[in-house]
Amino acid sequence: MSSSSRPSRDVLHNLATQLRIDSVRSTSAAGSGHPTTCLSAADIVAALFFAEMRFDPADPQHPEADRFVLSKGHAAPILYAAWAAAGAFPRDEVLKLRSIGSDLEGHPTPRLPFVDVATGSLGQGLPAAIGIALNARRIESDYRTYALLGDGECAEGSVWEAAEVAAHERLDNLCAIVDVNGLGQSRATQYEHDTDSFVRRFEAFGWWARSIDGHDMGQILAALDEARKVSGRPALIAARTLKGKGLAAIEGKPGWHGKALKKGEETDKAIAELEAQYKDTGFPSQDGRKPGVLTPAIPKPARRRTESAPADFVAEMPAPSWALGDKVATREAFGPGLVALGGMDRRIVALDADVKNSTFSEAFEKFYPDRFIQSFIAEQAMVGVAMGLASRGAIPFPSTFACFLERASDFIRMAGISSLGVKLAGSHAGVSIGEDGPSQMALEDLAMARGVPNCTVLYPSDAVSAYRLVAAAAATPGPVYIRLGRPKTPVIYPSGETFPIGGSKTLRETSSDVVTVVAAGVTLFEALEAHDVLAKENVAIRVIDAYSVQPIDNATLVAAGRATGGRIITVEDHYAHGGLGDAVSEAVWDQAFRVKRLAVREIPRSGQPEELLDRFGISSKAIVAAVRELLA
Amino acid sequence: MSSSSRPSRDVLHNLATQLRIDSVRSTSAAGSGHPTTCLSAADIVAALFFAEMRFDPADPQHPEADRFVLSKGHAAPILYAAWAAAGAFPRDEVLKLRSIGSDLEGHPTPRLPFVDVATGSLGQGLPAAIGIALNARRIESDYRTYALLGDGECAEGSVWEAAEVAAHERLDNLCAIVDVNGLGQSRATQYEHDTDSFVRRFEAFGWWARSIDGHDMGQILAALDEARKVSGRPALIAARTLKGKGLAAIEGKPGWHGKALKKGEETDKAIAELEAQYKDTGFPSQDGRKPGVLTPAIPKPARRRTESAPADFVAEMPAPSWALGDKVATREAFGPGLVALGGMDRRIVALDADVKNSTFSEAFEKFYPDRFIQSFIAEQAMVGVAMGLASRGAIPFPSTFACFLERASDFIRMAGISSLGVKLAGSHAGVSIGEDGPSQMALEDLAMARGVPNCTVLYPSDAVSAYRLVAAAAATPGPVYIRLGRPKTPVIYPSGETFPIGGSKTLRETSSDVVTVVAAGVTLFEALEAHDVLAKENVAIRVIDAYSVQPIDNATLVAAGRATGGRIITVEDHYAHGGLGDAVSEAVWDQAFRVKRLAVREIPRSGQPEELLDRFGISSKAIVAAVRELLA
């Protein structure tokens, strides 16, 4: 907003006062929540919503609107109060805060139309805001992105991962504000009111930064003006505030974190104290009294551009060129898969954490460098940025070694809560990576991904299925995880084969099968080998490729189990918990089958891949032994 | 080491050259690994091992010895070469690098006696080193701790979480060195050779910092001297180096990350090139030729102090004062449990991430402030510091909300690989926290903890069992996770009850039970209520408290399942995957039982605890319905 068309400081002060009042009212009505952290942020939020940002309260998802991310998600009540004040919904709705029938939850989630990403796990808002700011570049929009952080949350490393990425990307359409109220949940923060410590840190990371009094509307507006003019760098405003500002008995006092005022006298007195702070700006209030609060006209976003129609990824994917029997690692198929998608739709973005030559995402960078984001070795930032991008319509594919995706597991959890279409790919799964040793082996990644109930989990075994499942990931709503392997495996599917989500492939099947073996990834080939060994002894086993681990193909598994005497073996290059064995066990729970799990059951070590498959009990030899055991 | 007794720079140069040669030899023999990152670090490592640190190669775990953490774990070959050069084992052992029969793994693990914590997941060495440095305070030793970091890994947020903690703790017994070789795995790092960017960042975080040429032995020694004299602050040395230093064709060139030289001519030429760099210091080599390398005398650590005998935590725990029927949250029992342990044994340390008033760890701080470490809102640092402490004999209890422990899940994975006795406690598990909403609800934490195969997983339901299991955690080797709840639940066990790891409690049992219900935490009370409802209809169910989720009480579960017609219901305030249902399913896999899982199956929302248990299908009502379904 240009400074000339801005409402007066007194009007903004009154709006801040109204936000304070509504934050107290809503938390008191709920009987829980965080009023005091709302009160410290009220002047900043009022300035952003009513003197800075360009948006349409009636259409909060307008693609050209400025974005606001409340990284300090526990200040949700003031976010709701601000949108109510802007006219998005009636003010008294805030009194439904935290009740099961309302989307005004304890911490913001995208169930609300004006929330892009769920916050409440501290340190996630800034990475997401960076993704949102990068999306402006992708769609060539001049919208700006604002993130409000708590001071305590700046202890989270993800904030500094994000700071690095934003500076590297020279994101001058991003402005972060830290609400330095000096008080954490249980004690003073380590920074207390030293706003300069934030300025020093962010400057050292390459940001423009300045320190202000966060209750001085003039200083807030001036800093926002300056921040808007910064070129080639992201901007940081460290605002000195008081937790509980406006309530003399509470202001700046410890012991008030996450406590609602008591209903009745305590709340009534607080509201009266705040109401007395309204300045007479000539506006009548709703009941006709002066002084009152008038919401100023909010500048609308630019005209909506027409977007190209989305691609039908699965149908339009060009056929890959591998022939049956070619030896290709599934991770090697990931690159060409990404490149093919990138050519179909400009929404496809790839993100890397400095392993692009191992995951083969470098192929995408060669073709589409403007849609390739390098987060360097910062997995939380990579996934957080992807969350922000996904929230604004991009289809991001962050990839790294599967074990290092676990570094971002709390982000992946929050991506699930936000239902964001982040398409994660993790390479180098399992002990089959060999010599690098246990620190590089993902053996709990399926459990992590399956722990997000709305996450689709895919585990291809050959290059064709990997390539096709990359397209399926792009086409499937919500988060998706694709598990990729390091070793080369033979191509077993024709290039035109289809792999529906929730499906499976039965690769070996006779009417005399006595055991069903369910596998995916490298162990599928161990299962096929076990099949051949046992066939020589006239023992027939059914072999199923469970490329879709979540959802899993219940019907096929139940039918196979019934056909093979209720004997099922699962075999996975993963620990025994939360992975394929767990998925199959649950799928057939009511059948009274026996589901034996072959999986890694101890901390592994360095060695050659084949040695390790054998040593940790997931090789063809182990499968043959397990079949014999089940038949004994 | 005092500068006067130090070996000459030429001697140190020759040692560095030997380390380079052995790094090339070992990786070439293995056919994989990271020689070039070893070559950049060789001068720094030679200076640390042979001119700076005080240690005993024959007794690397001496409690008073200086510590070295190789945070850039992929440089493992030079770590092994240094310990070989120091005399810990014969030099030619390094040729067994990465083979299944050797503990010289691709990345260092504590299978080796001179490794405190496994590294290889970047950004974890500095937090661990801080824990090790804090341990020196705990045992009142003057040993110093050194950590060698890669430049690329400084993008990891955990490095900055650690930087904050180290500065806050004024750790002047800690010296971190960043090997700024400018090259990451797939490209130049974002910092390239700008060593000052590291100095600026660490100074902004409160460290003493300086920048040097990492191949100039004089500058390295001078910086170590200066760092040793710094008071009240940790020290950082940013060393400009060349990846592949010493090999002209490779030095400073991209494309050489993680590539061993080819056996034969390529390796032989490289070794000859390095050997030609030996300076004549008058020492003959092993084969009698000059110049040779002589390992200087390494100063030994101080005399070993006598340590007090460890407590028998489980037996000595004083009885708690709760009476049957008292309403106490399990998290409320955690504080008194910690305090009791702290009084028994000085090895007990508590760590917090600014939620001590919610987890009740603040009780410990009141009694033992010198053994209470505040990491502020930095869960990776908290767990990493705990890992370092555990590696040096402390028994650390890091605690926070269970969902935020997931922020550190990659650290917990590595704690498992290191078999470290980190005793994690996570509060506020499940939807039963209520109004705060999904971002604060841990619903995948059991899966995370069970995904560490050597992690003991405990899930108490009442205060007495919680209190007793805190003692069991201290007494149990390796990592332990204790899941704690927010709501108050009635005390159901007498204060003297014992809770062996791997056990369970059968709370309701008759000879006519038709279904077994297995629960833990808040859902145990739902199961007891369902029992009473069904009893009125003359339907008897067995109710088992599975307080030990890993290991789980297989024998009791199998016997109960057999006694109840193979019908088992699990009910947990957790997602359906990787938790209690998974554990029970696997425990009884060969019994052909039906194991029905009641668990949260979608992203939850804010609401009152009882409303949410009901809505997400884990209340007594859901249990009653499931029993009827199984019987139908």
Side-chain angles (χ1 to χ4, degrees), chain B residues 65 85 94 137 180 222 266 336 390 477 524 537 542 551 591:
Chain B
V94 302
R137 276 196 197 158
V180 187
E266 191 173 69
L524 183 65
E537 304 170 15
R542 187 161 300 188
Q591 300 294 317

Side-chain angles (χ1 to χ4, degrees), chain A residues 36 181 183-184 242-244 247-257:
Chain A
T36 57
N181 64 31
L183 293 173
L242 291 174
K243 205 158 173 172
L247 298 178
I250 293 174
E251 228 175 60
K253 298 241 165 57
W256 279 97
H257 180 95

Side-chain angles (χ1 to χ4, degrees), chain A residues 98 103 105 107 122 156 161 164 185-186 201 354 358 379-380 407 436 586 601 605-606, chain B residues 98 103 105 122 156-157 164 185-186 201 354 358 379-380 407 436 582 586 597 601 605-606:
Chain A
R98 292 175 162 244
D103 288 338
E105 298 194 73
H107 294 76
L122 292 171
E156 288 286 8
E161 293 186 10
E164 193 75 59
Q185 170 175 325
S186 71
R201 283 164 170 76
D354 190 19
S358 290
E379 295 79 9
Q380 295 185 85
R407 199 62 161 261
D436 268 341
E586 228 224 337
R601 290 181 184 272
R605 58 186 302 132
S606 290
Chain B
R98 292 173 161 245
D103 287 338
E105 297 194 72
L122 291 170
E156 288 286 7
E164 193 76 58
Q185 170 175 323
S186 71
R201 283 165 170 77
D354 190 19
S358 290
E379 295 79 10
Q380 295 186 84
R407 199 63 161 260
D436 268 342
D582 182 26
E586 228 224 338
R597 303 182 191 183
R601 289 180 183 274
R605 59 187 302 133
S606 291

